[in-house]
mmCIF file of all heavy atoms in Angstrom:
data_model
loop_
_atom_site.group_PDB
_atom_site.id
_atom_site.type_symbol
_atom_site.label_atom_id
_atom_site.label_comp_id
_atom_site.label_asym_id
_atom_site.label_seq_id
_atom_site.Cartn_x
_atom_site.Cartn_y
_atom_site.Cartn_z
ATOM 1 N N LEU A 144 -17.513 19.928 -18.026
ATOM 2 C CA LEU A 144 -17.965 19.979 -19.415
ATOM 3 C C LEU A 144 -18.847 18.780 -19.767
ATOM 4 O O LEU A 144 -19.739 18.880 -20.615
ATOM 5 C CB LEU A 144 -16.754 20.004 -20.359
ATOM 6 C CG LEU A 144 -15.877 21.263 -20.315
ATOM 7 C CD1 LEU A 144 -14.617 21.051 -21.141
ATOM 8 C CD2 LEU A 144 -16.654 22.476 -20.825
ATOM 9 N N CYS A 145 -18.608 17.660 -19.086
ATOM 10 C CA CYS A 145 -19.324 16.422 -19.416
ATOM 11 C C CYS A 145 -20.524 16.140 -18.515
ATOM 12 O O CYS A 145 -21.155 15.087 -18.636
ATOM 13 C CB CYS A 145 -18.357 15.239 -19.379
ATOM 14 S SG CYS A 145 -17.047 15.343 -20.635
ATOM 15 N N LEU A 146 -20.842 17.058 -17.607
ATOM 16 C CA LEU A 146 -22.016 16.860 -16.741
ATOM 17 C C LEU A 146 -23.306 16.804 -17.549
ATOM 18 O O LEU A 146 -24.302 16.208 -17.110
ATOM 19 C CB LEU A 146 -22.111 17.993 -15.712
ATOM 20 C CG LEU A 146 -21.140 17.932 -14.539
ATOM 21 C CD1 LEU A 146 -21.270 19.187 -13.681
ATOM 22 C CD2 LEU A 146 -21.392 16.689 -13.686
ATOM 23 N N ASN A 147 -23.300 17.409 -18.739
ATOM 24 C CA ASN A 147 -24.501 17.438 -19.575
ATOM 25 C C ASN A 147 -24.603 16.208 -20.482
ATOM 26 O O ASN A 147 -25.533 16.097 -21.282
ATOM 27 C CB ASN A 147 -24.492 18.714 -20.424
ATOM 28 C CG ASN A 147 -25.826 19.007 -21.072
ATOM 29 O OD1 ASN A 147 -26.843 19.144 -20.385
ATOM 30 N ND2 ASN A 147 -25.849 19.087 -22.396
ATOM 31 N N LYS A 148 -23.678 15.290 -20.361
ATOM 32 C CA LYS A 148 -23.664 14.096 -21.219
ATOM 33 C C LYS A 148 -24.886 13.222 -20.962
ATOM 34 O O LYS A 148 -25.161 12.849 -19.819
ATOM 35 C CB LYS A 148 -22.388 13.289 -20.942
ATOM 36 C CG LYS A 148 -22.261 12.026 -21.777
ATOM 37 C CD LYS A 148 -21.056 11.201 -21.376
ATOM 38 C CE LYS A 148 -21.291 10.419 -20.097
ATOM 39 N NZ LYS A 148 -22.347 9.374 -20.248
ATOM 40 N N PRO A 149 -25.634 12.886 -22.018
ATOM 41 C CA PRO A 149 -26.747 11.932 -21.841
ATOM 42 C C PRO A 149 -26.232 10.568 -21.386
ATOM 43 O O PRO A 149 -25.118 10.167 -21.749
ATOM 44 C CB PRO A 149 -27.354 11.845 -23.250
ATOM 45 C CG PRO A 149 -26.877 13.069 -23.969
ATOM 46 C CD PRO A 149 -25.534 13.384 -23.397
ATOM 47 N N LYS A 150 -27.017 9.868 -20.607
ATOM 48 C CA LYS A 150 -26.592 8.565 -20.095
ATOM 49 C C LYS A 150 -26.332 7.567 -21.217
ATOM 50 O O LYS A 150 -25.531 6.630 -21.056
ATOM 51 C CB LYS A 150 -27.652 8.013 -19.141
ATOM 52 C CG LYS A 150 -27.761 8.792 -17.833
ATOM 53 C CD LYS A 150 -28.810 8.196 -16.914
ATOM 54 C CE LYS A 150 -28.901 8.974 -15.602
ATOM 55 N NZ LYS A 150 -29.934 8.432 -14.689
ATOM 56 N N THR A 151 -26.997 7.765 -22.344
ATOM 57 C CA THR A 151 -26.856 6.817 -23.456
ATOM 58 C C THR A 151 -25.627 7.092 -24.326
ATOM 59 O O THR A 151 -25.320 6.316 -25.226
ATOM 60 C CB THR A 151 -28.107 6.875 -24.350
ATOM 61 O OG1 THR A 151 -28.319 8.236 -24.762
ATOM 62 C CG2 THR A 151 -29.333 6.375 -23.599
ATOM 63 N N THR A 152 -24.940 8.197 -24.052
ATOM 64 C CA THR A 152 -23.763 8.573 -24.855
ATOM 65 C C THR A 152 -22.485 8.172 -24.134
ATOM 66 O O THR A 152 -22.331 8.411 -22.942
ATOM 67 C CB THR A 152 -23.738 10.093 -25.120
ATOM 68 O OG1 THR A 152 -24.955 10.483 -25.769
ATOM 69 C CG2 THR A 152 -22.557 10.483 -25.993
ATOM 70 N N GLU A 153 -21.576 7.550 -24.864
ATOM 71 C CA GLU A 153 -20.286 7.170 -24.298
ATOM 72 C C GLU A 153 -19.473 8.426 -23.972
ATOM 73 O O GLU A 153 -19.560 9.435 -24.666
ATOM 74 C CB GLU A 153 -19.502 6.296 -25.284
ATOM 75 C CG GLU A 153 -20.118 4.928 -25.541
ATOM 76 C CD GLU A 153 -20.072 4.038 -24.309
ATOM 77 O OE1 GLU A 153 -19.116 4.171 -23.503
ATOM 78 O OE2 GLU A 153 -21.004 3.228 -24.148
ATOM 79 N N PHE A 154 -18.645 8.314 -22.925
ATOM 80 C CA PHE A 154 -17.841 9.464 -22.488
ATOM 81 C C PHE A 154 -16.980 9.997 -23.631
ATOM 82 O O PHE A 154 -16.964 11.209 -23.902
ATOM 83 C CB PHE A 154 -16.965 9.057 -21.301
ATOM 84 C CG PHE A 154 -16.033 10.136 -20.835
ATOM 85 C CD1 PHE A 154 -16.479 11.154 -20.003
ATOM 86 C CD2 PHE A 154 -14.697 10.143 -21.236
ATOM 87 C CE1 PHE A 154 -15.618 12.163 -19.575
ATOM 88 C CE2 PHE A 154 -13.828 11.147 -20.808
ATOM 89 C CZ PHE A 154 -14.296 12.156 -19.980
ATOM 90 N N ALA A 155 -16.248 9.119 -24.312
ATOM 91 C CA ALA A 155 -15.350 9.558 -25.385
ATOM 92 C C ALA A 155 -16.126 10.217 -26.525
ATOM 93 O O ALA A 155 -15.661 11.211 -27.100
ATOM 94 C CB ALA A 155 -14.542 8.373 -25.914
ATOM 95 N N ASP A 156 -17.285 9.672 -26.832
ATOM 96 C CA ASP A 156 -18.101 10.254 -27.907
ATOM 97 C C ASP A 156 -18.537 11.669 -27.551
ATOM 98 O O ASP A 156 -18.516 12.573 -28.395
ATOM 99 C CB ASP A 156 -19.342 9.388 -28.173
ATOM 100 C CG ASP A 156 -19.000 8.043 -28.794
ATOM 101 O OD1 ASP A 156 -17.894 7.928 -29.374
ATOM 102 O OD2 ASP A 156 -19.821 7.103 -28.698
ATOM 103 N N TYR A 157 -18.909 11.875 -26.291
ATOM 104 C CA TYR A 157 -19.363 13.203 -25.881
ATOM 105 C C TYR A 157 -18.198 14.197 -25.923
ATOM 106 O O TYR A 157 -18.356 15.333 -26.391
ATOM 107 C CB TYR A 157 -19.961 13.164 -24.478
ATOM 108 C CG TYR A 157 -20.657 14.464 -24.099
ATOM 109 C CD1 TYR A 157 -21.934 14.745 -24.582
ATOM 110 C CD2 TYR A 157 -20.024 15.409 -23.292
ATOM 111 C CE1 TYR A 157 -22.575 15.933 -24.253
ATOM 112 C CE2 TYR A 157 -20.656 16.601 -22.961
ATOM 113 C CZ TYR A 157 -21.932 16.854 -23.442
ATOM 114 O OH TYR A 157 -22.558 18.044 -23.130
ATOM 115 N N VAL A 158 -17.034 13.778 -25.444
ATOM 116 C CA VAL A 158 -15.846 14.644 -25.488
ATOM 117 C C VAL A 158 -15.530 15.033 -26.926
ATOM 118 O O VAL A 158 -15.262 16.203 -27.235
ATOM 119 C CB VAL A 158 -14.634 13.946 -24.833
ATOM 120 C CG1 VAL A 158 -13.343 14.729 -25.107
ATOM 121 C CG2 VAL A 158 -14.844 13.802 -23.327
ATOM 122 N N ASN A 159 -15.581 14.069 -27.828
ATOM 123 C CA ASN A 159 -15.293 14.345 -29.236
ATOM 124 C C ASN A 159 -16.314 15.315 -29.836
ATOM 125 O O ASN A 159 -15.967 16.155 -30.667
ATOM 126 C CB ASN A 159 -15.254 13.044 -30.040
ATOM 127 C CG ASN A 159 -14.099 12.138 -29.640
ATOM 128 O OD1 ASN A 159 -13.090 12.614 -29.125
ATOM 129 N ND2 ASN A 159 -14.249 10.842 -29.856
ATOM 130 N N GLN A 160 -17.569 15.202 -29.395
ATOM 131 C CA GLN A 160 -18.624 16.092 -29.900
ATOM 132 C C GLN A 160 -18.459 17.535 -29.425
ATOM 133 O O GLN A 160 -18.991 18.461 -30.040
ATOM 134 C CB GLN A 160 -19.997 15.570 -29.463
ATOM 135 C CG GLN A 160 -20.432 14.290 -30.157
ATOM 136 C CD GLN A 160 -21.637 13.637 -29.471
ATOM 137 O OE1 GLN A 160 -22.351 14.278 -28.710
ATOM 138 N NE2 GLN A 160 -21.834 12.358 -29.737
ATOM 139 N N LEU A 161 -17.715 17.728 -28.340
ATOM 140 C CA LEU A 161 -17.490 19.084 -27.825
ATOM 141 C C LEU A 161 -16.527 19.883 -28.713
ATOM 142 O O LEU A 161 -16.439 21.108 -28.582
ATOM 143 C CB LEU A 161 -16.932 19.030 -26.397
ATOM 144 C CG LEU A 161 -17.897 18.611 -25.293
ATOM 145 C CD1 LEU A 161 -17.158 18.396 -23.985
ATOM 146 C CD2 LEU A 161 -18.996 19.661 -25.107
ATOM 147 N N ARG A 162 -15.807 19.196 -29.569
ATOM 148 C CA ARG A 162 -14.853 19.839 -30.485
ATOM 149 C C ARG A 162 -13.856 20.721 -29.704
ATOM 150 O O ARG A 162 -13.700 21.917 -29.970
ATOM 151 C CB ARG A 162 -15.590 20.645 -31.568
ATOM 152 C CG ARG A 162 -16.442 19.770 -32.488
ATOM 153 C CD ARG A 162 -17.104 20.549 -33.597
ATOM 154 N NE ARG A 162 -18.134 21.451 -33.100
ATOM 155 C CZ ARG A 162 -19.379 21.073 -32.777
ATOM 156 N NH1 ARG A 162 -19.731 19.790 -32.887
ATOM 157 N NH2 ARG A 162 -20.261 21.945 -32.341
ATOM 158 N N ILE A 163 -13.196 20.089 -28.754
ATOM 159 C CA ILE A 163 -12.210 20.788 -27.912
ATOM 160 C C ILE A 163 -10.926 21.032 -28.709
ATOM 161 O O ILE A 163 -10.381 20.116 -29.317
ATOM 162 C CB ILE A 163 -11.889 19.954 -26.653
ATOM 163 C CG1 ILE A 163 -13.132 19.836 -25.762
ATOM 164 C CG2 ILE A 163 -10.735 20.577 -25.871
ATOM 165 C CD1 ILE A 163 -12.959 18.873 -24.595
ATOM 166 N N VAL A 164 -10.469 22.268 -28.704
ATOM 167 C CA VAL A 164 -9.207 22.637 -29.353
ATOM 168 C C VAL A 164 -8.292 23.261 -28.299
ATOM 169 O O VAL A 164 -8.571 24.353 -27.797
ATOM 170 C CB VAL A 164 -9.435 23.644 -30.498
ATOM 171 C CG1 VAL A 164 -8.084 24.095 -31.081
ATOM 172 C CG2 VAL A 164 -10.311 23.037 -31.590
ATOM 173 N N PRO A 165 -7.195 22.585 -27.922
ATOM 174 C CA PRO A 165 -6.236 23.192 -26.983
ATOM 175 C C PRO A 165 -5.542 24.399 -27.618
ATOM 176 O O PRO A 165 -5.225 24.382 -28.817
ATOM 177 C CB PRO A 165 -5.237 22.068 -26.718
ATOM 178 C CG PRO A 165 -5.960 20.803 -27.103
ATOM 179 C CD PRO A 165 -6.835 21.189 -28.255
ATOM 180 N N VAL A 166 -5.328 25.425 -26.824
ATOM 181 C CA VAL A 166 -4.656 26.637 -27.305
ATOM 182 C C VAL A 166 -3.515 26.991 -26.356
ATOM 183 O O VAL A 166 -3.694 26.983 -25.133
ATOM 184 C CB VAL A 166 -5.645 27.827 -27.398
ATOM 185 C CG1 VAL A 166 -4.913 29.092 -27.859
ATOM 186 C CG2 VAL A 166 -6.802 27.509 -28.334
ATOM 187 N N SER A 167 -2.345 27.296 -26.939
ATOM 188 C CA SER A 167 -1.186 27.746 -26.158
ATOM 189 C C SER A 167 -0.970 29.229 -26.412
ATOM 190 O O SER A 167 -0.845 29.640 -27.566
ATOM 191 C CB SER A 167 0.079 26.994 -26.571
ATOM 192 O OG SER A 167 -0.115 25.598 -26.523
#
């Protein structure tokens, strides 16, 4: 999911921007 992250973007910031919602 994070392979598309720009080099200038922090890992955590990119993850947060993905708006991931876990579902059970």
Side-chain angles (χ1 to χ4, degrees):
L144 293 172
C145 296
L146 284 175
N147 194 58
K148 180 185 77 65
K150 291 181 179 179
T151 54
T152 303
E153 293 293 328
F154 176 81
D156 291 339
Y157 190 78
V158 170
N159 294 335
Q160 290 167 19
L161 288 171
R162 296 183 292 280
I163 295 172
V164 176
V166 178
S167 307

